[in-house]
Amino acid sequence: AHDYINRAIQLDSEIPSYYNQRALIFQQQKQFQKALPSMLKALELRPEQYLEYYYFNLAGIYRELLLHDHAVLNYKKTLEIEPKFSQARIGLGEIYLSRNLMQEAIHEFSTAARIQPKLVKSYSLMGVAHARAGSHREAVDAFRQALKLDPELHMIYYNLGLSLSHLGQMKEARKNLEIFRSLLVIAEAKDYKELQI
């Protein structure tokens, strides 16, 4: 893929999508230092279409490089162009979560959930943010919504169990922690089986 995209750039070095594609290839290979200049070059060429995706991709690269202020700026640029870009809201919310800005994180995850109601990650992270803010009733609601969408996610049962125990609902908390343990065993067995192939 590198050879093809580099050849395309040699043939026409003024097409922003070529640099965007090269950045995404580097990003997939976890070569974020190499991805960054290609992504910046793509934006420098002022793409006329899909500009929100360019800023979103740049934000993701900055996150991987732990340049969170730059990531926040580019997620916000993404959302200025396309306020309904739910993945950008989740990315921004995750940075707020890592900075203990719980209300800001909850706002982004809640907005993402309204935009895309079947996105499990928004409810799961919303639950985590509510739990860290001490709002365990809201956390329980969010975790339950996530499990309606995907009942196989073992970590959500764990988080749900912890929030239920904070609310004094010990019987239900234990039940969810037992489900977590049984699903964890299955997940670990699957991972181990894949290692043997």
Side-chain angles (χ1 to χ4, degrees):
H2 271 298
D3 290 343
Y4 282 114
I5 204 69
N6 286 335
R7 180 69 180 138
I9 289 169
Q10 285 172 0
L11 292 170
D12 191 339
S13 61
E14 298 298 310
I15 297 182
S17 63
Y18 292 170
Y19 295 95
N20 178 54
Q21 287 300 318
R22 186 164 70 181
L24 292 175
I25 292 166
F26 280 130
Q27 196 173 8
Q28 274 194 321
Q29 296 173 329
K30 312 284 186 204
Q31 297 183 57
F32 304 109
Q33 290 286 359
K34 290 183 178 180
L36 183 58
S38 285
M39 201 66 244
L40 290 170
K41 179 66 176 177
L43 279 160
E44 182 188 310
L45 291 170
R46 301 183 178 278
E48 293 179 13
Q49 291 182 308
Y50 309 117
L51 185 58
E52 67 273 27
Y53 289 97
Y54 287 63
Y55 283 122
F56 176 75
N57 294 339
L58 182 57
I61 293 166
Y62 278 132
R63 269 186 78 185
E64 294 293 347
L65 292 170
L66 303 179
L67 298 168
H68 290 151
D69 288 339
H70 291 295
V72 167
L73 180 67
N74 284 282
Y75 280 133
K76 287 182 175 180
K77 285 181 179 178
T78 303
L79 292 168
E80 282 171 19
I81 299 164
E82 181 45 77
K84 293 187 176 181
F85 200 141
S86 56
Q87 292 292 348
R89 294 211 172 265
I90 286 175
L92 186 56
E94 285 176 317
I95 294 174
Y96 289 146
L97 192 61
S98 72
R99 292 178 167 180
N100 290 316
L101 299 169
M102 294 310 149
Q103 293 312 310
E104 291 87 343
I106 289 165
H107 170 75
E108 296 302 335
F109 299 140
S110 301
T111 305
R114 280 195 303 276
I115 294 165
Q116 204 171 341
K118 294 190 176 179
L119 198 58
V120 178
K121 193 173 184 180
S122 58
Y123 295 104
S124 174
L125 289 168
M126 191 193 317
V128 170
H130 276 302
R132 288 189 190 171
S135 306
H136 289 285
R137 289 191 193 287
E138 290 82 356
V140 165
D141 290 343
F143 291 137
R144 284 182 172 151
Q145 186 60 43
L147 288 171
K148 279 183 190 174
L149 295 168
D150 190 344
E152 300 298 316
L153 290 171
H154 58 279
M155 283 307 300
I156 299 176
Y157 287 100
Y158 179 80
N159 289 330
L160 176 56
L162 290 184
S163 280
L164 287 165
S165 68
H166 278 284
L167 294 171
Q169 298 177 31
M170 301 312 295
K171 185 177 178 182
E172 197 177 349
R174 280 192 292 273
K175 178 184 167 188
N176 280 280
L177 291 172
E178 284 168 17
I179 295 169
F180 159 71
R181 280 190 285 274
S182 63
L183 288 175
L184 181 62
V185 169
I186 293 165
E188 286 175 345
K190 184 180 175 210
D191 288 344
Y192 182 67
K193 184 179 177 185
E194 286 172 1
L195 284 173
Q196 297 180 76
I197 292 170

